[in-house]
Amino acid sequence: MPHFLSAEDFSPRSVYALFRLAGELRARQEPPKLLSGRSVALLFGEPSTRTRLSFSLAATRLGAEVLTLDERLTSRAKGETLADTLEVLALLGVDVAVVRTSEDVIRPPALSPSVVSAGSGTGEHPTQALLDAWTLYEAFGRLEGLRLLVLGDLRHSRVFGSHARLLPRLGVRITAAAPRAWLGREEDLPGVAERVALEDVSLEDLLASADAVLVLRPQWERHAHSADAPASPTPASYLERYGLTKARARALRPESRILHPGPVTWGVEIDPSLREDPRILVRRQVENGLYVRMAVLVAAGGNFEPCGGGAVAGEGNADVEALGGDLPPSFEPPVREEGNRAFSSPFHR
Ligand code: NCD
């Protein structure tokens, strides 16, 4: 069973296949029960609203048995490792584990359910990057050549960790801007075209030349342990100094778009008056999360091979038309093969 722990686990080809599947699932009033007979465990060790609820609804609507575990009430609280917990889930017959953890990297043991990351420490949040990519793709009709400004706490954001590993391979040019204290290390994420300290540049100029801006929440809860904590911005001064104020939003073109993975702290990283701005896609991102997570769960549950996994990973600049041509025109429910719990892929028959 495949694991989806990093945005690098999604090849450009599989990304477009998952977009297609997510779109097909959204179009159906009654989604096919592609996970019937499968069990999906949600193991969350950090707070979550959108991610947890969308994974839970996604698994339920696809017909899976859903087991929701609050990590604090599991033996993790007694010191059991995540790897040992995953082995227990596998021994008890769980097929897919959706995991949110404060550890930066998830390392499944040899005997493990298929693991889907729902956010790992300051490391990655691959399905958030995938749903943001789909939201951008829908808004612009393409990803190739888009100029995306990522604005905020780059150093502590796992969302940025996944965007930087996904979007450049799909042809998106990322400019990343942060207060100097939160810039992070360039060498960790080489796909980012440009990384600038907000103290050195005009944010208005960056906004004016972006097709879209993705604003990140300052990860205050992760700063206490950070060596640079004393030099960090404060919530009270953040908006005026570094945030998307009403005045700065005027520098964004009317056809540009504003994204945020949520939760938004209105008045800190974005001015509350921009909540109803026609360019903002925050609500759309939440809605898209459900269908993207359905598609990923189907892929993890074995019903769908996202076009050969990593076969074309790293190629970059994917030709959307060519990839689209490889995909089937419409979605068909897969046929379950009795005996070995394997499913034939709806796209590979
Ligand atoms: C993000 C997270 O938890 O990493 N939220 C989310 O899953 N949509 C971003 C954040 O908390 O700022």
Side-chain angles (χ1 to χ4, degrees):
M1 289 245 209
H3 298 305
F4 296 104
L5 306 174
S6 163
E8 284 167 358
D9 294 329
F10 298 110
S11 68
R13 178 177 292 218
S14 69
V15 167
Y16 287 104
L18 289 165
F19 288 177
R20 176 73 63 95
L21 179 57
E24 297 279 359
L25 290 167
R26 184 171 57 194
R28 300 258 179 141
Q29 235 167 22
E30 187 65 40
K33 303 287 181 240
L34 297 175
L35 291 180
S36 122
R38 298 283 165 131
S39 63
V40 175
L42 307 176
L43 179 66
F44 275 63
E46 283 192 347
S48 172
T49 302
R50 302 154 182 72
T51 307
R52 177 159 153 169
L53 196 54
S54 57
F55 268 118
S56 176
L57 283 170
T60 305
R61 292 192 185 163
L62 290 166
E65 172 188 38
V66 182
L67 309 151
T68 305
L69 299 168
D70 176 343
E71 200 183 62
R72 288 166 305 182
L73 301 178
T74 69
S75 292
R76 290 280 284 138
K78 303 176 192 170
E80 188 163 55
T81 62
L82 179 56
D84 283 349
T85 305
L86 289 168
E87 190 179 89
V88 170
L89 296 182
L91 288 166
L92 293 174
V94 168
D95 299 292
V96 180
V98 178
V99 175
R100 171 165 287 195
T101 173
S102 55
E103 294 171 25
D104 290 347
V105 179
I106 299 172
R107 292 190 180 83
L111 181 61
S112 171
S114 170
V115 181
V116 178
S117 169
S120 53
T122 58
E124 287 216 45
H125 194 349
T127 62
Q128 184 67 46
L130 202 59
L131 79 89
D132 292 345
W134 192 37
T135 307
L136 283 171
Y137 181 65
E138 280 193 326
F140 291 92
R142 67 187 166 98
L143 290 173
E144 183 71 51
L146 281 188
R147 293 160 304 169
L148 177 69
L149 173 65
V150 182
L151 178 65
D153 187 353
L154 307 176
R155 178 171 178 170
H156 305 95
S157 169
R158 56 190 174 208
V159 171
F160 177 60
S162 283
H163 278 104
R165 289 176 173 92
L166 183 75
L167 295 176
R169 289 187 292 122
L170 301 167
V172 177
R173 186 181 191 282
I174 296 183
T175 295
R180 191 181 307 286
W182 300 344
L183 259 187
R185 286 161 22 113
E186 208 155 319
E187 56 272 32
D188 291 343
L189 298 168
V192 176
E194 195 183 7
R195 191 186 286 248
V196 289
L198 287 167
E199 288 83 354
D200 299 340
V201 291
S202 147
L203 181 48
E204 283 80 356
D205 288 351
L206 293 179
L207 289 164
S209 57
D211 295 307
V213 54
L214 180 113
V215 185
L216 297 170
R217 184 180 64 85
Q219 306 280 297
W220 309 110
E221 71 276 24
R222 302 191 194 280
H223 295 167
H225 307 294
S226 179
D228 59 28
S232 288
T234 61
S237 62
Y238 189 84
L239 183 64
E240 277 314 312
R241 187 103 176 71
Y242 305 107
L244 190 61
T245 58
K246 209 173 163 181
R248 290 191 185 117
R250 283 192 209 107
L252 264 181
R253 286 168 295 122
E255 62 276 20
S256 295
R257 293 291 175 265
I258 302 166
L259 290 89
H260 189 303
V264 182
T265 30
W266 300 101
V268 177
E269 67 269 19
I270 305 187
D271 189 283
S273 69
L274 296 172
R275 202 188 266 272
E276 304 304 332
D277 190 289
R279 297 166 296 183
I280 202 157
L281 295 176
V282 169
R283 293 184 180 113
R284 187 67 176 171
Q285 287 169 272
V286 175
E287 290 166 0
N288 282 350
L290 174 63
Y291 302 103
V292 162
R293 289 180 173 127
M294 275 182 159
V296 171
L297 285 178
V298 172
N303 292 357
F304 168 66
E305 293 158 28
C307 295
V312 290
E315 276 181 8
N317 298 342
D319 179 336
V320 179
E321 287 309 309
L323 292 175
D326 277 348
L327 300 174
S330 68
F331 177 79
E332 295 169 54
V335 176
R336 183 164 181 169
E337 290 166 18
E338 290 307 328
N340 62 2
R341 310 198 82 201
F343 291 76
S344 75
S345 155
F347 295 130
H348 291 269
R349 272 181 294 158

